[in-house]
Amino acid sequence: MGTMESGRPPPKLPGIASWPVRAPSLLRGQLLALGCVAVAVVARIVTGPMLGADSPFMVFVPAILAASLLGGYLAGATAILTSIPIGLGFFAAVHPGRPLASFAWLGGSAALVGVLLAGMGGFMGHTLRALARSENRFRTLATATNRVILRFDDTLEVLRPNPEWRRLTGHGARTPWREAFHPEEAGRIPQRPEAPVQVEARLRHAPHGEARWVRMSLVPVREGGRTVEWLGAVEDIHDRKSGDELNQMLAGELAHRAKNGIAVVQAIISQSARQAGTAAELERIVQARIGAMASAQDVIAAGGNNAALLGELVTSTLAPFGLERFRIVEDRPMVVGRNLALTLGLILHELATNATKYGALSTSDGRVELRTARPNGKPPLASIAWRETGGPAVSASNNVGFGGRLLQTGLRSFGGAAELRLPPDGAQCDLKFPAEAQ
């Protein structure tokens, strides 16, 4: 489904959205008024026998109203000043003997009606243009935001036709909209709420089945104290939610590493004691390995120019565990980004720690072979192959700790993957991740 995009504007529907947001210029308004009057004159000539001679201004009523509605107050005034003499001319042609007073009364009455029509039409035109500007601002805002705007009926059960919802979920108007949400989160949306609602839930795309985290906000539209419809907005928060989950996992690692560090130091002392012949030699070996562990953390955290050499990252991370226990085969030098280097360092440290506790490094004869391979495939991904030999028999566990969760999710956000296998003769792990070969 991917991230929501709002680059395409909402479809422009007839009505207010198509009304011009600004009044025409003075010249165009006057031409528009004259055009309306000209149409009225033609209509008067054509319909004269039907309208009768005593209704000279009837056809000019819609002309004045249209001129003021489309062109503004000045256009309406122009239509009045133009139509009155023409209307009086039609009347005089039929009643040549009428006194001037009757013409004056007729013209004054027509002017009064015309002013009322022009005022009403001008006000209506101003209101329509204001509504069109408001609609235009709303559509611009809806286009600029990454949210999908939705409309529902007053019961919040029927989703009004919305092409963006179909694009986002694959569901049409006939499918109940709540079915687009993950079953575990669908119940968070109340059936008949009375107040505004905001929920975070996973939204599924029907054809692909992919679920992404979204924030859905619903507010009622009330008229006269009664809810007439609901408006909603759906915002994609999947990246933020995934980042929060990773941050929580890394925060838990701080506590985990404090406890784990003690186990690593104990293993370093135990392995060093088997190698050292004297107390002084034991002190030297232990200090060197603990110092290597601290320098490895510095490499992971600093990353040098937001990047790190993969070979240096591997050796610095594994040095505290005794590089003589590892056989590292590097295909060719590669560079990884800073955030990826931190994640890889955590994964390698976790693999080495588990090997020290339970695997090949827990015995004096155990060894670990680690091979790097240049990027290949589509998309091109580099790889690290971890192989343990010579340790105790390995058995799978149903408990998934930090290391297991890190392997499942750590490289996924970078477009990579990790696969852990536990055959009896030693743990095997394949890591794939983006890298740049030098």
Side-chain angles (χ1 to χ4, degrees):
M1 182 167 62
T3 304
M4 291 185 198
E5 298 179 355
S6 58
R8 106 177 76 177
K12 197 159 187 177
L13 303 176
I16 293 298
S18 58
W19 193 267
V21 297
R22 296 187 179 278
S25 64
L26 179 61
L27 177 59
R28 296 184 68 178
Q30 303 308 304
L31 294 176
L32 181 63
L34 294 176
C36 291
V37 173
V39 172
V41 170
V42 174
R44 180 67 179 83
I45 294 173
V46 173
T47 61
M50 293 182 292
L51 295 177
D54 295 327
S55 302
F57 298 107
M58 184 175 295
V59 294
F60 294 103
V61 169
I64 296 172
L65 186 61
S68 56
L69 180 65
L70 299 174
Y73 296 106
L74 291 179
T78 300
I80 295 171
L81 295 177
T82 307
S83 60
I84 288 178
I86 297 176
L88 291 175
F90 282 122
F91 187 74
V94 180
H95 305 283
R98 297 294 285 273
L100 293 177
S102 62
F103 284 95
W105 180 87
L106 185 60
S109 300
L112 179 60
V113 173
V115 169
L116 293 175
L117 290 171
M120 182 173 62
F123 177 76
M124 291 174 58
H126 176 76
T127 302
L128 289 173
R129 283 187 288 273
L131 290 174
R133 284 193 294 271
S134 177
E135 175 75 7
N136 186 54
R137 285 193 294 269
F138 167 76
R139 289 174 176 273
T140 301
L141 178 62
T143 302
T145 185
N146 67 340
R147 300 185 179 189
V148 174
I149 308 300
L150 305 175
R151 291 179 62 212
F152 303 86
D153 69 340
D154 59 328
T155 64
L156 199 59
E157 293 298 330
V158 179
L159 175 66
R160 303 282 169 80
N162 190 294
E164 291 299 302
W165 178 259
R166 179 186 291 273
R167 180 183 64 84
L168 183 64
T169 66
H171 287 278
R174 296 185 177 180
T175 304
W177 62 271
R178 283 187 174 86
E179 292 186 6
F181 286 91
H182 194 281
E184 295 179 4
E185 279 88 33
R188 298 182 184 180
I189 304 174
Q191 290 293 329
R192 290 183 178 272
E194 297 294 334
V197 177
Q198 186 176 89
V199 295
E200 294 184 357
R202 285 174 291 176
L203 192 64
R204 300 178 301 177
H205 191 277
H208 307 99
E210 180 186 1
R212 291 184 67 85
W213 281 97
V214 299
R215 179 190 291 117
M216 189 173 197
S217 303
L218 301 169
V219 293
V221 179
R222 294 189 172 94
E223 294 180 2
R226 185 177 68 88
T227 300
V228 295
E229 67 176 347
W230 286 78
L231 294 180
V234 179
E235 178 184 8
D236 191 323
I237 60 170
H238 189 76
D239 293 340
R240 192 263 295 170
K241 200 79 173 179
S242 300
D244 288 346
E245 292 176 354
L246 182 59
N247 290 337
Q248 290 176 3
M249 185 175 62
L250 294 178
E253 169 64 0
L254 293 177
H256 174 78
R257 290 294 293 274
K259 182 188 296 184
N260 209 34
I262 297 175
V264 172
V265 171
Q266 289 175 337
I268 289 176
I269 295 174
S270 176
Q271 294 178 23
S272 300
R274 291 195 293 266
Q275 298 174 1
T278 64
E281 185 179 2
L282 173 62
E283 178 183 2
R284 178 182 60 80
I285 294 174
V286 170
Q287 287 183 346
R289 288 182 173 174
I290 292 178
M293 183 172 63
S295 64
Q297 297 303 314
D298 292 338
V299 171
I300 296 172
N305 296 323
N306 291 322
L309 285 170
L310 182 61
E312 293 182 4
L313 175 68
V314 170
T315 55
S316 298
T317 303
L318 300 180
F321 303 92
L323 290 177
E324 68 277 3
R325 308 289 301 277
F326 294 87
R327 181 171 182 261
I328 301 174
V329 181
E330 187 175 11
D331 182 1
R332 61 183 301 177
M334 288 179 283
V335 174
V336 294
R338 179 177 179 176
N339 293 333
L340 177 57
L342 176 61
T343 302
L344 280 174
L346 288 173
I347 292 175
L348 292 173
H349 182 274
E350 193 68 23
L351 289 172
T353 299
N354 289 336
T356 301
K357 287 182 177 180
Y358 320 109
L361 301 184
S362 65
T363 64
S364 58
D365 296 330
R367 294 292 184 270
V368 176
E369 181 181 273
L370 189 147
R371 290 179 175 269
T372 67
R374 72 189 71 183
N376 61 72
K378 292 184 180 180
L381 296 175
S383 64
I384 295 177
W386 176 285
R387 300 290 185 268
E388 298 183 24
T389 57
V394 177
S395 60
S397 173
N398 294 328
N399 296 326
V400 180
F402 170 80
R405 296 195 304 271
L406 187 62
L407 285 174
Q408 291 173 0
T409 63
L411 297 179
R412 189 182 304 167
S413 60
F414 300 97
E419 181 183 1
L420 177 65
R421 298 180 297 278
L422 297 174
D425 56 342
Q428 302 177 3
C429 186
D430 292 318
L431 308 177
K432 295 186 178 182
F433 49 88
E436 182 179 345
Q438 289 192 321

